[in-house]
Amino acid sequence: MQVMRHTRLTVTVLSAVAATFGLAAMPVMASASPVRPAASTASVSGKVGPMGAGPQHGDTRQVCKAAKPGYMSCMAIVKLASAAPNAHAAVVNPSIGSVPYGPADLRSAYGLATAAATKGGGRTVAIVDAFNDPRAASDLATYRSHYGLPPCTKANGCLHILNEHGNTSPLPSNSFGWTEEISLDLDMVSAICPKCHITLIEANSARTKSMGIAEDTAASRSSFISNSWGSAEFPTESGFNKYFNHPHHAIVFAAGDNGHSTPSYPGAYKDVISVGGTKLVHQTSGSRAWTETVWGTKSNSNHQGTQSGCSKYLIKPSWQHHSRFTCPRRTQNDVAAVGDPDTGVAIVDTYKTGGTWWQFGGTSAATPIITAAIALAGRPTAKYPASKIYAHPGKFHDVTRGQNGTCSRWYVCHARAGYDGPTGIGTPKGLGGL
């Protein structure tokens, strides 16, 4: 089985512990419109980390090790202070710069401000990850309090943390790396659907079967399931498809971060929604306050960029049959959202990180954003929700610039008008296409 380098959970430290460095807390951004942080000359640099156990690529580090055969890997990237070997994450004043993005920015970018304020009540988003994050509840509380989001706790019935069989105990062992992925997923669901309840399903291990059991448990509790993990495709993958075939459920998977290459599994399975990544930039003019291009480069020299490609083993879904789609099997992706680590999102994670606030990127960020947006739209009416995305291409922001590598089938690695591999149909323009 070919090993895939997974979503690099980009991490630039937004703030160190304020009591330690004397920094002001991040300003609350509870309004519907994006708030651009004011410039500041105060900053503190230092060593925090290194975070994650995966290989380093330039100024990013993969949070999880690459998946071994028979296992899945979390898709997470941490942004480091420099590109030096074994670099540590930097501690910076959170008021400097225009990124990372908070909830108001993300809702503005995807036309979700009104929906986030009024919809989602009574709906549950499930998140599937491996291992346990002992600080999941407290870190989530810090994030939500900071941005003025309503509390989501075990005590008020909003947050549930279960093992792969759906029980509150015993929870799996702790695993640094996966804890960062969990923090990212929880925070991004909160950013987009603050009224949603959240159920975190923690698989006992990262074995493919264990993750599949957790997926079945999630499907029994929610119609909206976010999955920021996977592996490279492998010849026997079809034997696990049963875990991801849940009609009338939005089963959403991150594409991965290897640029144009072999697609990821289960992201390439026909009945799931595969999510690519974009570079999201705020602008002060134009009809939209944001621009998006494909996250990636032509050379893909850092092995970084939204993943896309033609599946080796999995059939093409009926809604992807089109004269222009020349991949004989499933083409990854279906839809996209922000993924570039340099235009990443703010999250809170304190488990063995030595800090509090961080900047994440990769398709690990895009996936819970898309899942939560679908939850805002309501229970899926289509048997397989990916088909609805293809039915309403005009209700998405069409990403037409950028590429994530070189390929013989041009549309698989280049943006263009209409469908393309890196960004699928495009990024959300409100809830109409979801």
Side-chain angles (χ1 to χ4, degrees), residues 5-29:
R5 295 184 175 91
H6 290 287
T7 315
R8 300 150 211 170
L9 183 152
T10 315
V11 158
T12 300
V13 181
L14 291 185
S15 70
V17 180
T20 301
F21 295 102
L23 299 179
M26 293 179 68
V28 173
M29 294 189 284

Side-chain angles (χ1 to χ4, degrees), residues 243-260:
Y243 294 114
F244 313 110
N245 182 0
H246 294 282
H248 301 290
H249 285 63
I251 311 294
V252 187
F253 270 91
D257 306 306
N258 289 335
H260 174 255

Side-chain angles (χ1 to χ4, degrees), residues 8-12 14 36 59-60 77 79 97-102 105-106 109-110 184 188 276-283 290-296 304 337-347 358-366 369 427:
R8 300 150 211 170
L9 183 152
T10 315
V11 158
T12 300
L14 291 185
R36 314 315 312 158
D59 63 351
T60 66
I77 307 170
K79 191 170 179 67
S98 60
V99 291
Y101 298 131
D105 299 299
L106 298 173
Y110 299 121
L184 172 60
M188 289 305 97
T278 67
K279 182 180 185 68
L280 177 69
V281 177
H282 184 260
Q283 61 179 2
W290 303 87
T291 60
E292 286 182 280
T293 55
V294 172
W295 170 42
Q304 189 178 79
V338 58
D340 189 333
D342 291 331
T343 63
V345 298
I347 69 103
W358 311 90
Q359 180 175 318
F360 283 55
T363 52
S364 269
I369 289 172
T427 64

Side-chain angles (χ1 to χ4, degrees), residues 158-235:
C158 174
L159 176 65
H160 297 272
I161 301 178
L162 309 173
N163 64 24
E164 66 182 46
H165 299 293
N167 301 318
T168 56
S169 65
L171 293 176
S173 60
N174 304 334
S175 174
F176 181 50
W178 280 94
T179 56
E180 295 165 276
E181 180 64 69
I182 289 170
S183 293
L184 172 60
D185 295 341
L186 289 169
D187 291 353
M188 289 305 97
V189 169
S190 297
I192 300 301
C193 190
K195 294 182 180 293
C196 285
H197 287 196
I198 303 175
T199 297
L200 171 64
I201 308 294
E202 299 180 331
N204 293 344
S205 76
R207 287 184 178 274
T208 304
K209 183 175 181 179
S210 186
M211 301 297 285
I213 292 171
E215 194 76 14
D216 280 345
T217 298
S220 71
R221 286 161 170 77
S222 173
S223 299
F224 318 97
I225 308 175
S226 179
N227 306 274
S228 291
W229 46 269
S231 75
E233 284 202 282
F234 52 99

